Amino acid sequence: MRGQAAAPGPVWILAPLLLLLLLLGRRARAATGADAGPGPEPCATLVQGKFFGYFSAAAVFPANASRCSWTLRNPDPRRYTLYMKVAKAPVPCSGPGRVRTYQFDSFLESTRTYLGVESFDEVLRLCDPSAPLAFLQASKQFLQMRRQQPPQDDELGPRVGPPGPSDDFSVEYLVVGNRNPSRAACQMLCRWLDACLAGSRSSHPCGIMQTPCACLGGDAGSPAAGPLTPRGDVCLRDAVAGGPENCLTSLTQDRGGHSATGGWKLWSLWGECTRDCGGGLQTRTRTCLPVPGVEGGGCEGVLEEGRQCNREACGPAGRTSSRSQSLRSTDARRREELGDELQQFGFPAPQTGDPAAEEWSPWSVCSSTCGEGWQTRTRFCVSSSYSTQCSGPLREQRLCNNSAVCPVHGAWDEWSPWSLCSSTCGRGFRDRTRTCRPPQFGGNPCEGPEKQTKFCNIALCPGRAVDGNWNEWSSWSACSASCSQGRQQRTRECNGPSYGGAECQGHWVETRDCFLQQCPVDGKWQAWASWGSCSVTCGAGSQRRERICSGPFFGGAVCQGPQDEYRQCGTQRCPEPHEICDEDNFGAVIWKETPAGEVAAVRCPRNATGLILRRCELDEEGIAYWEPPTYIRCVSIDYRNIQMMTREHLAKAQRGLPGEGVSEVIQTLVEISQDGTSYSGDLLSTIDVLRNMTEIFRRAYYSPTPGDVQNFVQILSNLLAEENRDKWEEAQLAGPNAKELFRLVEDFVDVIGFRMKDLRDAYQVTDNLVLSIHKLPASGATDISFPMKGWRATGDWAKVPEDRVTVSKSVFSTGLAEADEASVFVVGTVLYRNLGSFLALQRNTTVLNSKVISVTVKPPPRSLRTPLEIEFAHMYNGTTNQTCILWDETDVPSSSAPPQLGPWSWRGCRTVPLDALRTRCLCDRLSTFAILAQLSADANMEKATLPSVTLIVGCGVSSLTLLMLVIIYVSVWRYIRSERSVILINFCLSIISSNALILIGQTQTRNKVVCTLVAAFLHFFFLSSFCWVLTEAWQSYMAVTGHLRNRLIRKRFLCLGWGLPALVVAISVGFTKAKGYSTMNYCWLSLEGGLLYAFVGPAAAVVLVNMVIGILVFNKLVSKDGITDKKLKERAGASLWSSCVVLPLLALTWMSAVLAVTDRRSALFQILFAVFDSLEGFVIVMVHCILRREVQDAVKCRVVDRQEEGNGDSGGSFQNGHAQLMTDFEKDVDLACRSGERPTATPSGPPGPRGPALGAQPRQRPWPPCLPPPPTPQGRRRVHGA
């Protein structure tokens, strides 16, 4: 061979190519479809996705199987061709089984029909051992080899026998691409083609008709392969000369061991040319593998051969070597190594020293043993590293002539062109020949065939229709039953029609009965019964269950196994007495004893369905205790009915029926939810109803009306009412039900927004949330602000909202200009008033310091190029570390995140503080947002235990001064006991009670019941303080006008002071059902809904009436015919001055108190209330104690009485041991009558005739000297008459 040296052996060169083909064959097999080949067989093999493989007949066709097949699937018949090489058995076929070879297009499982089937039996001739190798080329989708046994009608199964000789063959297959086949595949295919053509003759044509590869001696194949021009032993492909590896053939050896065990190895690579120009010499060598027992090893020829190279003329310099002198130089160590090597081959070692002392090596052996050859000699440059370079050539050549004449071997001429096909249609063959030039001078004769034959036109003629024909019947299958009536079947397959032929007639399957006899029926256990009750509830008991045996019948076997079964139960440890919750009567329900860790269940009340659950747990000391019951599974009857009706309407909507009555259902739910929810289960039931309503709105068969939208939002607001706080907290413990609310609102915005008929905005304002929906096109979108200009709201909390949202117009873009022209976006913004307090995010150190805002955009944008801006107003003072948070259920909490955040996350938002009361959040996603703040130590303690210091100081000072006044009055009560004193003490008690309730209400905002009671009593005591001021003015007016007073009139004072406020509060609570008494932030009347007028109205009326009475009293004092008594006039003036000072101060105090309670963030209102409240106490003490003369005289009398009691005299006692209750008017009359009539110790009547025993009167103590004496009856009558 020429062109390139061969590798040491073909196996070592082709081993990597074999690995490459095996790797390519490991591709994933495609799923078999309707045309994947025949159905499952006893031993069927389907190969797909492989490009090369090998198998033996013994492995694919086992001896104990009757029907076996091996199928190779072509990935794409238009792009690939299948090739097969078969190494036949050395002896002819024998035995009943025959292996058939077919190719077909597809297989129909329903009719067991092969479409386009063609037989390859005459091509392969597996039973003809005269040709040991057979080759095949297939172009259809499936290539199949099948072994079939002849049918055996009278047998129940296949006949098992030894395998025949025809089973002893092996197969190699190859899948080659029709265009640009791989080099490795072409190498193997060319080897196969060489062997196929070498063994071809007229009786056994070659089965490979054409190849897509360019092979020596083969066809050109596909046009893409390029011309093939054989020249010597060089293979040409695409006009490029290659080495022997381009013409290598199979990767495996033929069966039978025809390959030689000795002989020449392949030539080595050509060496380097000795000259760069002027004609040089290249040499190559080969080695001989001796054949045992053959003289000379069996190798004939030369070990080395040479050829000329670089024959072009040299330049002017006349160079004889292309290598520079510097490349030929070497150091001393290299010279020693080379010297040793040269000496081994008989060459003298190179000389060292001066370059002039270099010596040539001896001339080599002539390159040819006959004819003209070449001899070479070399020398080395022996120079040090620092000496000059050697000059002159290092290698010389010369011609050598041998007298012997070289033998000329016989050589083949070129192959003649292939002859025409012997048949124009059907299967034919064609051949080609070549001539041999005879050898000379003892040369070898030509080797190889003189003629090659191969098949042509393997496909059937298109013009001849071929009808389908049945294959042989398969053997009968085994009987389906070993006794009683069974069935057997056998099948056959149709070699499908071709070119319009008729299909196979008849059935492809036959069945017959077999073994008609009665079968014995063994006894069969029926299913186990349920387990019985455990013998004990704890401490390891047992349970029993049993089963029944059915049968046996007809001599069958009895049931095996036990009839009953036991198992252990109640293995848990019996709880100790202290680990069991005792029977408890709580919430009108009797809870039975329950061990710790278990849940007790009781039916819900009659107005609800479901169960009440209550868990028994252990405390830190291991003592069992009952947790509060949960009503999460209790649903009121009304809510349950609404839920069932909604599900019925949803089922109709899913079936496409019109939605009639949906509006009535929503309206009914609005009315029910306004009364509040009875159980937390009602809350979850309502959310389920609203979710189903959203699905109904989504259907095209129902269009929601504006009333439906308003009612839907109103139901959401009713769910978020303050009275449902405890239900929300209980629902949150059962699961994150807040996320269901967020999803519900988001779906509602999506449905309502896209159901809007035109581009418009919708606003829904309720007591607990504000919903805004904007529908706008992407092309003309602008920034969306919430709230928008022209905002109009009915609720006081929503009239001037402090929270704002800005959505940039860059959000409303899909990124495609064409899509933006037709895109419509829906923006929904929801402002929750009090949802933050329901989410259980408050802790001892953190608090949700803002309202909650949700922003949604449909369809959702891919990303926010401009951040979303939200401004929040703070709800609490004294907070630090304001952090923007958003609701993100997908966020995985990190170790650094606070554990109490739950679904809330701080990722995605940036916090920008604006001032002490506002914070701005810049967020890069759409969600639900809020502000989380940390309470300072003082604020935390204040929030948890005590109200603000300012309120404590104001209320404390006022209450202490008034309490001191009450103590003074009580100590001198018998001296100043009068209507005016009674009014004053009641007035002081109402103010003290109001101060105490203000302080209590600051700490009870989280307790709904206590906060409501505090608000109601605070309302009562605020009004009573105003009413007692009015009572004092009324009493003064009656005193100056001189109207007769009796017990009835005095009772009217009490009715005015306590009864009128109680009536107003009772009416307010009855009409509002306590709604509005207390809010989430304070324990006072709600500023919304008009309930505050229940306090402002009566207080204003009291002030107005007081002003009228004051004007009348003042007119009486200044008129000429008014009061003539100077003392009485002074008292009336003092009372008028007291009303004019105390009433405005009282109004300012309670006004600042209301502002301080409702707005806890403002320190100014708290300071004003503290100042006014303290000043009010001092003024009342000054007017009614320090500046009141009666109190001064009473104190003096009290001091005198104390001194007399010390001296043993009890002159302070009143007549009959009782003090007389005198009005101020009576005291004034007594002062006027003191000069005219004094009481005596004895009666004024004449003495009777009776003696001392009969006429003696009991001695009366004298009237206390420090008090004016009481008037006589005559004096009282005169005064009254006057």
Side-chain angles (χ1 to χ4, degrees):
M1 299 181 183
R2 299 182 184 273
Q4 281 186 341
V11 177
W12 296 102
I13 282 184
L14 298 180
L17 303 179
L18 176 60
L19 293 177
L20 177 61
L21 289 174
L22 292 178
L23 289 176
L24 292 175
R26 289 183 178 272
R27 295 183 178 177
R29 296 186 177 182
T32 58
D35 59 348
E41 295 180 350
C43 54
T45 303
L46 176 63
V47 180
Q48 55 184 354
K50 284 189 175 183
F51 289 84
F52 172 78
Y54 165 85
F55 71 90
S56 64
V60 175
F61 305 110
N64 58 353
S66 61
R67 297 175 59 206
C68 294
S69 66
W70 177 89
T71 307
L72 175 63
R73 181 173 183 175
N74 192 337
D76 187 352
R78 297 170 300 177
R79 299 175 55 191
Y80 298 94
T81 303
L82 307 179
Y83 296 91
M84 179 182 289
K85 173 187 175 182
V86 181
K88 304 179 185 178
V91 295
C93 298
S94 63
R98 298 291 298 274
V99 177
R100 306 286 185 178
T101 306
Y102 309 91
Q103 71 167 349
F104 55 92
D105 292 322
S106 61
F107 177 79
L108 300 180
E109 181 68 30
S110 59
T111 59
R112 308 289 295 181
T113 302
Y114 291 91
L115 298 182
V117 64
E118 295 181 10
S119 175
F120 281 141
D121 291 341
E122 63 174 301
V123 177
L124 293 182
R125 298 184 180 181
L126 293 177
C127 295
D128 184 4
S130 60
L133 296 178
F135 297 88
L136 181 66
Q137 176 182 347
S139 58
K140 294 192 177 183
Q141 188 169 9
F142 295 98
L143 177 62
Q144 186 179 82
M145 300 186 74
R146 172 178 299 185
R147 188 183 70 182
Q148 288 185 337
Q149 299 285 356
Q152 301 145 6
D153 293 340
D154 299 330
E155 299 293 336
L156 298 179
R159 178 182 300 148
V160 179
S166 63
D167 295 340
D168 189 16
F169 65 89
S170 63
V171 176
E172 296 179 48
Y173 58 89
L174 185 64
V175 181
V176 182
N178 296 333
R179 295 182 180 180
N180 300 324
S182 64
R183 181 178 179 182
C186 284
Q187 290 177 2
M188 179 176 290
L189 185 58
C190 290
R191 173 74 177 268
W192 288 7
L193 180 59
D194 291 344
C196 182
L197 293 176
S200 65
R201 52 187 181 272
S202 300
S203 59
H204 295 285
C206 177
I208 300 179
M209 297 178 294
Q210 61 181 4
T211 66
C213 303
C215 301
L216 178 63
D219 287 325
S222 64
L228 177 66
T229 306
R231 186 183 60 192
D233 58 354
V234 180
C235 288
L236 296 181
R237 172 77 185 268
D238 297 331
V240 178
E245 62 272 14
N246 288 342
C247 299
L248 293 179
T249 54
S250 179
L251 300 181
T252 59
Q253 296 181 353
D254 296 339
R255 294 175 59 92
H258 299 290
S259 61
T261 59
W264 290 109
K265 286 188 176 181
L266 296 179
W267 288 100
S268 66
L269 298 177
W270 287 103
E272 295 182 357
C273 190
T274 57
R275 298 175 63 90
D276 293 336
C277 59
L281 179 66
Q282 281 181 303
T283 62
R284 64 176 181 177
T285 61
R286 60 179 177 176
T287 58
C288 176
L289 293 178
V291 179
V294 179
E295 183 178 358
C299 297
E300 296 181 1
V302 296
L303 293 172
E304 182 181 15
E305 66 179 1
R307 69 179 181 183
Q308 292 184 350
C309 58
N310 295 338
R311 298 181 180 181
E312 64 273 8
C314 296
R319 295 181 300 162
T320 60
S321 178
S322 62
R323 294 194 176 185
S324 63
Q325 299 296 335
S326 60
L327 294 176
R328 289 292 184 177
S329 63
T330 181
D331 55 10
R333 183 181 52 160
R334 180 59 179 166
R335 289 197 304 270
E336 295 176 358
E337 296 175 357
L338 293 176
D340 296 339
E341 295 177 0
L342 292 175
Q343 289 178 3
Q344 294 177 3
F345 293 97
F347 294 97
Q351 301 295 326
T352 60
D354 187 74
E358 298 175 0
E359 293 184 3
W360 289 97
S361 65
W363 288 100
S364 65
V365 180
C366 189
S367 62
S368 179
T369 58
C370 62
E372 187 181 75
W374 289 89
Q375 285 181 307
T376 61
R377 68 175 181 176
T378 59
R379 63 177 177 178
F380 293 94
C381 177
V382 184
S383 61
S384 63
S385 300
Y386 302 97
S387 63
T388 59
Q389 300 295 333
C390 299
S391 60
L394 298 180
R395 186 185 183 98
E396 286 185 353
Q397 292 181 343
R398 69 180 182 182
L399 293 173
C400 56
N401 296 318
N402 294 321
S403 58
V405 179
C406 293
V408 179
H409 302 297
W412 290 107
D413 289 337
E414 297 291 337
W415 284 101
S416 65
W418 287 100
S419 65
L420 297 177
C421 191
S422 61
S423 176
T424 58
C425 68
R427 179 171 289 120
F429 63 90
R430 58 180 181 172
D431 55 21
R432 65 178 180 178
T433 59
R434 59 181 176 177
T435 58
C436 176
R437 294 193 299 270
Q440 299 178 3
F441 309 111
N444 297 327
C446 296
E447 296 180 359
E450 184 179 1
K451 183 179 180 180
Q452 291 180 344
T453 307
K454 66 179 181 179
F455 283 102
C456 59
N457 295 333
I458 292 182
L460 297 178
C461 295
R464 186 176 62 188
V466 179
D467 297 336
N469 62 306
W470 289 107
N471 291 336
E472 297 291 338
W473 284 101
S474 65
S475 58
W476 287 102
S477 65
C479 190
S480 61
S482 60
C483 59
S484 186
Q485 185 175 358
R487 305 287 292 177
Q488 282 181 296
Q489 74 172 17
R490 65 177 180 175
T491 60
R492 60 180 177 175
E493 294 170 345
C494 174
N495 292 330
S498 301
Y499 309 109
E503 295 184 356
C504 299
Q505 301 296 323
H507 298 285
W508 64 273
V509 60
E510 284 185 353
T511 59
R512 68 180 183 183
D513 297 334
C514 59
F515 292 104
L516 300 177
Q517 66 179 9
Q518 199 64 255
C519 291
V521 180
D522 297 336
K524 184 178 180 181
W525 288 111
Q526 295 183 2
W528 286 98
S530 58
W531 288 100
S533 59
C534 190
S535 59
V536 295
T537 58
C538 60
S542 61
Q543 282 179 295
R544 177 182 176 273
R545 67 174 181 177
E546 61 180 1
R547 57 182 176 176
I548 300 175
C549 179
S550 176
F553 306 102
F554 308 108
V558 298
C559 298
Q560 300 295 326
Q563 185 177 2
D564 52 4
E565 187 179 21
Y566 294 87
R567 72 175 181 181
Q568 195 175 11
C569 62
T571 57
Q572 65 272 17
R573 180 180 63 89
C574 291
E576 300 294 335
H578 63 275
E579 295 177 345
I580 301 176
C581 293
D582 298 331
E583 183 175 315
D584 185 24
N585 189 352
F586 181 84
V589 175
I590 298 177
W591 299 91
K592 297 182 179 180
E593 292 185 354
T594 303
E598 297 184 5
V599 178
V602 180
R603 292 182 59 85
C604 295
R606 295 182 178 179
N607 63 341
T609 60
L611 298 174
I612 310 174
L613 305 179
R614 194 179 187 188
R615 190 176 187 85
C616 179
E617 290 290 348
L618 294 177
D619 58 10
E620 297 178 354
E621 298 179 355
I623 306 300
Y625 70 96
W626 285 107
E627 289 185 348
T630 175
Y631 296 85
I632 195 70
R633 295 187 181 179
C634 287
V635 181
S636 300
I637 300 297
D638 295 337
Y639 285 95
R640 175 65 69 183
N641 295 335
I642 293 293
Q643 190 175 16
M644 299 305 296
M645 287 189 292
T646 307
R647 291 177 179 176
E648 293 177 0
H649 283 290
L650 178 60
K652 292 181 181 179
Q654 291 174 346
R655 295 194 301 268
L657 301 178
E660 298 179 355
V662 176
S663 299
E664 290 76 5
V665 174
I666 301 178
Q667 182 63 38
T668 304
L669 184 58
V670 171
E671 297 173 356
I672 295 175
S673 60
Q674 283 179 349
D675 297 334
T677 57
S678 302
Y679 311 101
S680 54
D682 297 344
L683 203 67
L684 303 183
S685 175
T686 305
I687 293 179
D688 180 70
V689 170
L690 296 180
R691 187 186 303 110
N692 293 335
M693 283 294 176
T694 305
E695 292 299 322
I696 294 175
F697 294 163
R698 197 186 302 273
R699 306 290 172 175
Y701 305 99
Y702 182 80
S703 180
T705 63
D708 295 338
V709 176
Q710 183 177 359
N711 290 335
F712 192 99
V713 179
Q714 184 61 47
I715 294 171
L716 290 175
S717 177
N718 295 339
L719 290 181
L720 298 175
E722 190 66 25
E723 53 268 20
N724 292 331
R725 177 195 296 271
D726 53 343
K727 282 82 174 181
W728 273 102
E729 292 177 352
E730 185 175 327
Q732 286 296 105
L733 294 177
N737 293 288
K739 72 176 182 181
E740 299 295 333
L741 178 64
F742 293 150
R743 292 177 182 174
L744 173 64
V745 175
E746 183 176 353
D747 293 341
F748 176 75
V749 170
D750 183 18
V751 172
I752 298 302
F754 284 101
R755 294 301 295 271
M756 290 181 179
K757 297 182 180 180
D758 51 359
L759 304 178
R760 59 179 181 176
D761 301 331
Y763 291 92
Q764 296 292 333
V765 182
T766 61
D767 294 338
N768 298 300
L769 65 89
V770 176
L771 173 65
S772 113
I773 302 177
H774 304 268
K775 187 175 184 180
L776 67 164
S779 57
T782 58
D783 293 347
I784 299 297
S785 298
F786 175 84
M788 295 184 64
K789 295 182 179 180
W791 172 273
R792 291 181 297 175
T794 56
D796 295 337
W797 73 279
K799 286 183 179 179
V800 185
E802 300 175 345
D803 305 286
R804 300 183 180 277
V805 179
T806 302
V807 182
S808 175
K809 62 181 180 181
S810 62
V811 176
F812 314 116
S813 176
T814 60
L816 300 175
E818 298 80 2
D820 288 343
E821 292 295 333
S823 298
V824 176
F825 286 87
V826 175
V827 183
T829 308
V830 186
L831 175 62
Y832 298 97
R833 178 187 178 190
N834 54 356
L835 180 60
S837 62
F838 295 168
L839 297 182
L841 200 58
Q842 271 71 6
R843 298 294 187 271
N844 292 333
T845 58
T846 59
V847 65
L848 205 63
N849 200 22
S850 68
K851 297 182 177 66
V852 178
I853 294 180
S854 294
V855 181
T856 179
V857 176
K858 297 293 181 177
R862 296 181 180 178
S863 61
L864 298 184
R865 289 177 289 181
T866 303
L868 188 69
E869 295 185 10
I870 309 105
E871 293 186 8
F872 289 102
H874 300 171
M875 298 180 62
Y876 299 100
N877 289 329
T879 56
T880 58
N881 193 18
Q882 312 292 333
T883 304
C884 297
I885 57 176
L886 56 85
W887 186 273
D888 187 4
E889 300 174 11
T890 62
D891 185 24
V892 178
S894 60
S895 57
S896 60
Q900 65 269 20
L901 285 180
W904 292 97
S905 173
W906 52 268
R907 296 183 179 89
C909 283
R910 183 164 56 93
T911 305
V912 180
L914 298 179
D915 51 44
L917 300 178
R918 299 182 64 81
T919 298
R920 176 179 296 168
C921 297
L922 302 178
C923 303
D924 59 2
R925 68 188 71 175
L926 301 174
S927 183
T928 301
F929 309 93
I931 293 291
L932 184 68
Q934 186 173 6
L935 294 171
S936 60
D938 297 338
N940 187 22
M941 184 179 301
E942 172 187 337
K943 178 178 180 299
T945 57
L946 298 175
S948 63
V949 178
T950 307
L951 294 180
I952 293 176
V953 172
C955 295
V957 172
S958 176
S959 299
L960 289 176
T961 54
L962 295 179
L963 187 61
M964 182 181 63
L965 176 63
V966 172
I967 292 174
I968 293 176
Y969 267 63
V970 171
S971 62
V972 295
W973 179 247
R974 60 181 179 177
Y975 307 108
I976 60 172
R977 184 175 183 181
S978 63
E979 292 175 353
R980 185 177 179 185
S981 300
V982 173
I983 293 173
L984 178 62
I985 291 177
N986 283 278
F987 176 59
C988 292
L989 292 177
S990 65
I991 295 178
I992 293 174
S993 301
S994 300
N995 290 332
L997 290 174
I998 290 175
L999 298 179
I1000 294 173
Q1002 296 294 302
T1003 62
Q1004 299 298 325
T1005 55
R1006 300 287 294 173
N1007 193 326
K1008 176 66 177 177
V1009 177
V1010 176
C1011 193
T1012 302
L1013 294 176
V1014 169
F1017 279 103
L1018 198 59
H1019 184 199
F1020 169 73
F1021 284 113
F1022 274 10
L1023 288 180
S1024 65
S1025 60
F1026 280 96
C1027 290
W1028 281 116
V1029 174
L1030 177 62
T1031 304
E1032 183 182 12
W1034 184 22
Q1035 190 266 346
S1036 301
Y1037 175 75
M1038 297 184 68
V1040 298
T1041 55
H1043 289 81
L1044 180 62
R1045 274 79 43 80
N1046 52 24
R1047 185 180 297 271
L1048 180 60
I1049 295 178
R1050 292 168 185 167
K1051 289 183 178 179
R1052 290 177 182 175
F1053 291 159
L1054 296 176
C1055 293
L1056 179 60
W1058 297 116
L1060 181 60
L1063 179 62
V1064 172
V1065 172
I1067 293 175
S1068 300
V1069 172
F1071 273 99
T1072 63
K1073 297 181 180 179
K1075 292 182 179 179
Y1077 279 91
S1078 77
T1079 65
M1080 57 177 292
N1081 296 322
Y1082 52 83
C1083 297
W1084 174 239
L1085 305 183
S1086 174
L1087 302 181
E1088 303 168 9
L1091 184 60
L1092 186 62
Y1093 293 107
F1095 166 71
V1096 176
V1102 167
V1103 172
L1104 182 62
V1105 174
N1106 235 322
M1107 292 175 60
V1108 173
I1109 294 176
I1111 292 173
L1112 295 177
V1113 173
F1114 180 76
N1115 187 32
K1116 191 70 174 178
L1117 291 176
V1118 299
S1119 61
K1120 295 181 179 180
D1121 55 350
I1123 301 176
T1124 57
D1125 184 82
K1126 185 177 180 181
K1127 297 292 184 181
L1128 184 59
K1129 192 172 184 178
E1130 289 179 359
R1131 294 178 182 275
S1135 178
L1136 179 61
W1137 182 79
S1138 173
S1139 298
C1140 294
V1141 173
V1142 173
L1143 183 62
L1145 189 59
L1146 179 65
L1148 291 175
T1149 300
W1150 290 158
M1151 186 183 302
S1152 61
V1154 171
L1155 295 176
V1157 169
T1158 57
D1159 190 1
R1160 302 179 62 179
R1161 299 178 300 168
S1162 177
L1164 176 62
F1165 294 149
Q1166 297 185 9
I1167 294 174
L1168 289 178
F1169 168 69
V1171 172
F1172 288 139
D1173 199 15
S1174 303
L1175 184 61
E1176 180 187 35
F1178 282 112
V1179 169
I1180 293 175
V1181 171
M1182 183 68 68
V1183 172
H1184 292 279
C1185 183
I1186 299 177
L1187 300 181
R1188 185 176 179 183
R1189 182 174 299 176
E1190 290 83 354
V1191 177
Q1192 297 174 3
D1193 294 341
V1195 172
K1196 293 178 182 179
C1197 291
R1198 180 61 177 171
V1199 173
V1200 172
D1201 286 347
R1202 287 294 183 182
Q1203 293 176 354
E1204 291 180 355
E1205 288 177 1
N1207 296 332
D1209 189 3
S1210 59
S1213 302
F1214 290 97
Q1215 187 177 4
N1216 299 327
H1218 298 283
Q1220 297 181 2
L1221 180 61
M1222 299 175 61
T1223 65
D1224 293 335
F1225 181 77
E1226 291 173 341
K1227 292 182 179 180
D1228 295 337
V1229 174
D1230 291 338
L1231 291 175
C1233 299
R1234 285 176 61 188
S1235 59
E1237 190 173 347
R1238 303 286 294 182
T1240 59
T1242 58
S1244 57
R1250 290 172 294 181
L1254 297 175
Q1257 299 291 332
R1259 183 182 178 182
Q1260 296 181 355
R1261 292 185 181 275
W1263 189 262
C1266 59
L1267 292 178
T1272 61
Q1274 296 83 357
R1276 294 177 183 173
R1277 285 194 297 269
R1278 286 196 300 269
V1279 174
H1280 291 167

